[in-house]
Amino acid sequence: MDKTASSAAAAVRDVPSGASLAVGGFGLTGVPNVLIDALHERGVDGLHVVSNNCGALDTGLAVLLAAGRIARVTGSYIGANQEFARQYLAGELELELIPQGTLAERLRAGGAGIPAFFTPAGVGTTVADGGMPWRYDGEGGVAVASPAKEVREFDGQEYVLERGIRTDFALVRAAKGDRHGNLVFNKSARNFNPLAATAGRTTVAEVEKLVEPGELDPDTVHLPGIFVQRVVALAPEQAREKLIEQRTVSARADEAVSV
């Protein structure tokens, strides 16, 4: 029952080139940076990544992206990642861009053993009708476009069929975890990490604080250990590192300058 790995490198030792990965995180929150860095050190490439976004500020998945290790991304937010935009428009990687709620539900469905479901999100758009550029040819043309999906009417409303997502591996980060793999996530880190964890056939979790079995209140556990195969305890300095994507400051009222 002890699922702890000796190191991040040991935890991702069997992830091969061409593997599919569900990766947790929401912006810079809850991103398994240590596991991603370990994967980068291994030199694997051709990865198919499923994640809300593909890294920012040269951290997280942006490390693999900059090294040219990612072949395909299924995600919902590109944001200000200029290198991602460059590779996509140059035809160097493939992108399946889908609504954020649909991405969350596709991961949840895959983890629950549900092969497909109908949703109203995307009906009447290229999400359902097809034709969305998945890969460009590097010269402004579309090399691969998304196919049309089945649309069916229920109670007078149209819904589009979406497939559940299963991946070879999942990489997630938790605030707390025990040796059995039970995990607790902090605030918005909970948005995608539990979903990614259930979708992976082999799930690896890095935890900021490792505790012994029985120390976690069962009512506080967000993800039961049955979904987790490996746990990596972070060093204190790794656990403390918290990045800020955009810092916004303003003058205090007593410092305001009158004009």
Side-chain angles (χ1 to χ4, degrees):
M1 291 293 290
D2 190 342
K3 300 178 181 180
T4 53
S6 58
S7 65
V12 299
R13 67 191 181 282
D14 55 348
V15 178
S17 292
S20 58
L21 305 171
V23 182
F26 192 71
L28 299 181
T29 302
V31 179
N33 290 315
V34 176
L35 292 172
I36 292 171
D37 288 344
L39 202 57
H40 175 260
E41 290 296 321
R42 286 203 56 233
V44 295
D45 58 13
L47 299 171
H48 290 209
V49 172
V50 181
S51 186
N52 178 57
N53 59 294
C54 202
L57 300 183
D58 300 323
T59 65
L61 287 171
V63 173
L64 296 174
L65 182 73
R69 308 285 180 78
I70 299 177
R72 191 177 196 277
V73 173
T74 300
S76 61
Y77 179 72
I78 305 306
N81 193 324
Q82 295 182 356
E83 176 59 17
F84 189 106
R86 187 199 66 75
Q87 291 189 28
Y88 174 50
L89 295 174
E92 297 174 12
L93 62 75
E94 190 167 294
L95 167 66
E96 181 181 2
L97 190 63
I98 60 177
Q100 191 170 77
T102 299
L103 175 63
E105 184 62 11
R106 286 181 66 182
L107 288 166
R108 190 202 68 81
I114 299 170
F117 59 92
F118 282 96
T119 174
V123 171
T125 73
T126 52
V127 171
D129 300 338
M132 185 180 297
W134 276 3
R135 180 185 289 276
Y136 283 98
D137 61 9
E139 298 179 355
V142 177
V144 181
S146 65
K149 299 173 182 176
E150 179 184 349
V151 175
R152 190 181 299 184
E153 184 177 305
F154 295 91
D155 300 322
Q157 183 173 350
E158 290 187 327
Y159 296 80
V160 59
L161 182 69
E162 294 282 1
R163 298 291 303 272
I165 293 176
R166 291 285 281 161
T167 58
D168 301 322
F169 293 85
L171 307 180
V172 300
R173 179 171 180 140
K176 292 182 182 179
D178 65 20
R179 296 181 183 275
H180 291 175
N182 299 302
L183 304 179
V184 177
F185 302 97
N186 187 31
K187 299 180 175 65
S188 55
R190 190 178 171 188
N191 286 357
F192 275 94
N193 271 301
L195 302 171
T198 63
R201 295 179 177 88
T202 298
T203 294
V204 187
E206 60 180 62
V207 299
E208 296 174 9
K209 182 179 181 181
L210 180 67
V211 301
E212 296 302 320
E215 290 188 41
L216 294 177
D217 181 345
D219 283 340
T220 68
V221 172
H222 297 137
L223 185 77
I226 192 171
F227 290 107
V228 179
Q229 283 68 50
R230 300 168 194 164
V231 176
V232 178
L234 298 182
E237 60 272 16
Q238 293 172 325
R240 284 195 301 267
E241 186 178 24
K242 306 290 183 181
L243 301 175
I244 299 174
E245 188 169 0
Q246 295 183 19
R247 189 184 299 274
T248 302
V249 297
S250 59
R252 296 186 318 193
D254 58 357
E255 294 178 342
V257 178
S258 59
V259 178

